[in-house]
Amino acid sequence: MEPTQVRPANPQHSDTLPHTSENYRTATIRTPEIRVEKYGNWEIEYEFTPAAGDHGNLLVVFSSVGSKYGFGAALSGVQCNVLRIRDRFDGGPSYYVARAMDFSVSDAVEELITHYREKLGLERETVVLAGSSKGGSAAIFYALKYGYRHIVASTPQYFIGSYSQGHGVLGEWVLGEGQPQENVDRLDSVLPELLAETTDLDRNIYLFSSTKDYQYEEHVVHFLPALRKYSNFNFFMVESPALVKHAEVTRQGLSVILSVIYALTEGTVPRFGEVQVGSNEVDDDAATEHLSDLRARDTAAGVLTAAQLTPERATLSGHAFLPGVSAEQGEEAGARETKQLVLVRDEQAWVADAKTVPVDQLYLKYFDTHFASYKDGGFTCEARELFDTLPDGVYDVFARVTSESEDIDRRVPLVAYRAIDRRAASAGREVVLRGDARSVRVIKRDLTAAGPGGSVFALKRFAMEGPRLRVYGVFFLPGRNADRATHSTYYLTLRGADSTHTVALKAVKREDKVRPHMAPGDFGSYSFGYFTSEDKEGVDLSEVPPGTYTAEIAMSTGGGLFAHQAGELEVRENRASSVARRISGRNERVSTRARLRRGLRRRLWRS
């Protein structure tokens, strides 16, 4: 056996190597791709996800009203090819049937489906059409008109003209200007005519609905006589005390819907007949006892779902309520709850009143054995004034919910479903609001009390141009990536004898400016480690009183705060004559080090 040849690490020109080929692994990663392409007379936006492994069928999904692509993330487990078509044609929806009564939309969509079917080498028998609500109507329409066999339709509309008329944006876009009644009647006849004319009854149809959905009587019952004639018609009646709205039928029955889609896309055709999913049966005595016990339990809901934080406004909103239902008061007890946000530090508390607001579908998020509506379970709190008057420090945030009529007063840690990080500054102080699944905290701190802390800083511009200050430069923390615009928050603070002013700066991508300031051997990503003013013309100082100010640039990132002095600023009555003087020393040394590093790199490259 010949010994392996070891070549010395001598460089050679890259032109002597073969060209860069496609990495097979990268090419075969199953990644959804959104495209906009023209078929027929229309540009169609769609998302295509290739099959994972040996799962060669094609699932075509049509969207419901208000959704971009049908079923959202619920289809992530489907292994076959997935084509999700957006109902957007020339800027608006069409029901996948007609755009302003132009019926060529459906032929264009069918051309798209055929293109992928033929590209994948598939027959029509291997294509599954699926959709909810408007998308369910489309699935039935395309199967009947273009000869597909597998249909999964949840809560479809039968009279698509009447449903579109006056229904948000659907009316004008689908029926045309003025939504004339003759157009309504024409679209109302589309599905009944297809069902009456179709003679091929060898199809597999899976229809989902609920007696608690008002559209069951208005639309779904009209499908049943015709659909029951098909060789494999399956009807799923979804029932639950938690079903209140039309869209909830699909959510409640989603597990069964997905199981049908999984089976069909793997070539298995299930036969269920007409079955019930779930139940409306409620043991009233058990429900009353459970919800009353839950009300008496030492617990409350406190969830931060949204936060707006600026120097002018701090608005926090979310869910805060007492779970369960008072046996004496009934469900209306929730309307008498009062709510507060409480900030605690060192055994001291600062309190802000919150308003009770209605929140849609909280009964779905907080369903616990038995139904309770929690229709007034939301809160909103304007807390800017509170934040401005807080002493510096770190505060734990709680939700306090009180029901005087029930003699209940509870305080729970406020939490967040998804991580929240909001920052804003004014008058030299920053307020940070951070929340996760365990807690929410408010941090207030002095921007000018921070030091450099090992950060890299190089001021590139600090000069007055009329009433505006042009300021920009490099600022990042080695070891902490600055690879996106939200990696840090930058501020400019002007501190004078009588007043302090803070404005936000922004991070921009300037890799060419940042790279020279990176230390040799540092392979971090700092392309957004460059700050500049929000306005490309500079920071407007027209509202800053005349006087002499010390300027400082701060970077707030993660739990850290870093600051560097930038210069001095003399704001004069005549703003056009104001002057700015950058502070020499540290910034110049940083620039000198950067020049030395650049020179060293050039010498190493030449060698």
Side-chain angles (χ1 to χ4, degrees):
M1 185 175 182
E2 294 183 3
T4 303
Q5 182 179 5
V6 179
R7 299 184 181 182
N10 292 325
Q12 63 187 84
H13 201 282
S14 60
D15 287 346
T16 64
L17 302 174
H19 73 278
T20 302
S21 301
E22 175 186 72
N23 187 306
Y24 181 65
R25 171 56 184 156
T26 304
T28 54
I29 292 176
R30 190 172 189 247
T31 304
E33 182 177 356
I34 296 176
R35 299 178 181 174
V36 179
E37 295 179 337
K38 188 169 184 179
Y39 291 88
N41 301 326
W42 301 92
E43 285 193 343
I44 304 178
E45 181 181 335
Y46 65 91
E47 177 193 86
F48 178 72
T49 305
D54 185 20
H55 302 274
N57 292 356
L58 175 64
L59 172 65
V60 179
V61 184
F62 304 95
S63 68
S64 58
V65 173
S67 68
K68 186 174 182 179
Y69 297 113
F71 295 109
L75 298 177
S76 59
V78 176
Q79 301 294 293
C80 73
N81 301 285
V82 181
L83 176 64
R84 301 205 292 183
I85 306 170
R86 186 179 185 186
D87 186 13
R88 185 176 178 84
F89 298 86
D90 191 26
S94 68
Y95 237 107
Y96 301 97
V97 176
R99 170 71 170 78
M101 301 306 290
D102 184 345
F103 288 83
S104 66
V105 164
S106 65
D107 289 333
V109 172
E110 167 58 14
E111 186 179 330
L112 166 63
I113 298 171
T114 299
H115 166 76
Y116 271 92
R117 180 177 62 80
E118 293 178 346
K119 179 181 178 181
L120 297 168
L122 301 175
E123 300 297 327
R124 288 183 185 274
E125 288 71 21
T126 61
V127 177
V128 178
L129 306 183
S132 169
S133 192
K134 170 170 64 74
S137 299
I140 295 172
F141 171 79
Y142 279 81
L144 299 179
K145 184 171 182 179
Y146 298 105
Y148 296 99
R149 293 187 59 206
H150 308 302
I151 310 163
V152 182
S154 178
T155 62
Q157 289 85 41
Y158 187 76
F159 303 109
I160 60 179
S162 296
Y163 183 78
S164 298
Q165 188 178 34
H167 189 98
V169 299
L170 279 177
E172 295 289 329
W173 291 108
V174 175
L175 299 167
E177 186 177 355
Q179 307 177 45
Q181 188 59 43
E182 60 266 28
N183 291 354
V184 175
D185 296 339
R186 173 70 189 93
L187 278 177
D188 276 349
S189 69
V190 166
L191 286 172
E193 288 178 358
L194 274 175
L195 287 164
E197 295 168 358
T198 302
T199 58
D200 181 5
L201 302 181
D202 185 18
R203 286 185 169 86
N204 305 298
I205 303 174
Y206 304 83
L207 179 65
F208 292 78
S209 186
S210 175
T211 56
K212 299 189 77 172
D213 179 10
Y214 77 96
Q215 291 189 27
Y216 172 71
E217 294 291 344
E218 289 189 7
H219 293 278
V220 174
V221 294
H222 299 283
F223 280 107
L224 297 179
L227 294 182
R228 283 182 170 131
K229 298 176 183 178
Y230 285 86
S231 60
N232 184 23
F233 172 63
N234 304 271
F235 185 34
F236 301 85
M237 187 64 76
V238 182
E239 303 294 3
S240 168
L243 279 179
V244 177
K245 297 190 175 183
H246 167 74
E248 292 162 7
V249 178
T250 298
R251 294 191 187 99
Q252 187 69 23
L254 188 59
S255 296
V256 181
I257 293 171
L258 291 176
S259 71
V260 171
I261 290 175
Y262 289 151
L264 289 174
T265 55
E266 293 300 317
T268 301
V269 179
R271 294 177 179 269
F272 295 92
E274 299 192 21
V275 297
Q276 181 171 306
V277 178
S279 173
N280 280 323
E281 294 183 7
V282 177
D283 184 332
D284 291 332
D285 291 337
T288 299
E289 181 180 359
H290 173 80
L291 294 173
S292 181
D293 289 346
L294 184 57
R295 191 75 165 191
R297 203 168 104 196
D298 187 21
T299 185
V303 180
L304 180 66
T305 59
Q308 181 184 17
L309 189 58
T310 70
E312 295 77 31
R313 187 177 183 186
T315 305
L316 282 63
S317 56
H319 312 150
F321 60 90
L322 301 172
V325 177
S326 167
E328 294 76 21
Q329 303 286 339
E331 287 204 44
E332 293 305 314
R336 284 181 283 277
E337 294 172 2
T338 58
K339 303 163 188 180
Q340 295 176 319
L341 290 185
V342 181
L343 280 64
V344 176
R345 189 201 72 178
D346 298 334
E347 299 183 351
Q348 289 186 307
W350 288 257
V351 179
D353 291 333
K355 293 181 181 178
T356 293
V357 295
V359 179
D360 196 23
Q361 298 179 316
L362 276 189
Y363 47 84
L364 294 178
K365 293 182 180 295
Y366 298 99
F367 184 89
D368 183 354
T369 311
H370 294 283
F371 176 82
S373 69
Y374 305 127
K375 62 185 180 65
D376 292 313
F379 77 86
T380 183
C381 178
E382 297 291 339
R384 183 72 264 176
E385 184 177 353
L386 172 65
F387 289 174
D388 287 344
T389 56
L390 283 176
D392 289 356
V394 179
Y395 299 81
D396 293 310
V397 186
F398 297 82
R400 182 180 183 183
V401 187
T402 305
S403 174
E404 290 187 8
S405 61
E406 301 170 82
D407 195 25
I408 296 175
D409 189 358
R410 296 183 188 142
R411 174 172 63 96
V412 295
L414 193 65
V415 298
Y417 283 132
R418 287 175 287 189
I420 290 178
D421 189 320
R422 303 286 186 271
R423 301 171 189 237
S426 62
R429 276 174 165 74
E430 180 192 40
V431 173
V432 180
L433 176 71
R434 303 188 77 186
D436 56 28
R438 298 183 301 275
S439 65
V440 173
R441 283 187 164 186
V442 169
I443 302 97
K444 187 173 181 182
R445 53 192 180 182
D446 185 352
L447 288 172
T448 60
S455 60
V456 174
F457 179 79
L459 191 62
K460 300 297 183 180
R461 179 78 167 164
F462 186 77
M464 290 296 300
E465 295 183 4
R468 294 181 179 271
L469 175 67
R470 298 296 304 276
V471 55
Y472 46 84
V474 174
F475 199 173
F476 66 89
L477 181 66
R480 181 180 178 87
N481 280 351
D483 52 359
R484 58 187 186 277
T486 56
H487 75 93
S488 299
T489 303
Y490 294 106
Y491 305 106
L492 166 70
T493 296
L494 304 178
R495 185 180 295 276
D498 301 317
S499 62
T500 300
H501 308 269
T502 300
V503 296
L505 305 174
K506 68 177 181 180
V508 296
K509 187 176 183 179
R510 290 300 304 270
E511 190 169 0
D512 58 322
K513 300 293 186 181
V514 174
R515 190 183 300 111
H517 298 275
M518 294 172 57
D522 187 344
F523 51 85
S525 179
Y526 310 112
S527 56
F528 279 91
Y530 195 87
F531 65 87
T532 186
S533 56
E534 294 276 4
D535 189 329
K536 64 180 181 180
E537 301 299 325
V539 178
D540 186 1
L541 300 182
S542 57
E543 299 299 321
V544 175
T548 301
Y549 297 88
T550 299
E552 194 169 84
I553 309 294
M555 176 178 67
S556 176
T557 180
L561 181 64
F562 308 89
H564 289 267
Q565 289 189 349
E568 292 183 347
L569 190 67
E570 185 180 345
V571 178
R572 299 171 179 169
E573 290 284 357
N574 177 10
R575 305 288 165 156
S577 64
S578 298
V579 295
R581 297 178 291 274
R582 81 165 63 187
I583 292 178
S584 62
R586 179 185 301 148
N587 299 329
E588 292 180 357
R589 288 196 295 270
V590 171
S591 299
T592 300
R593 288 199 299 270
R595 286 194 296 272
L596 290 173
R597 284 197 293 270
R598 286 198 296 269
L600 177 60
R601 288 195 187 100
R602 284 195 293 269
R603 290 194 296 274
L604 290 172
W605 178 255
R606 292 194 190 101
S607 64

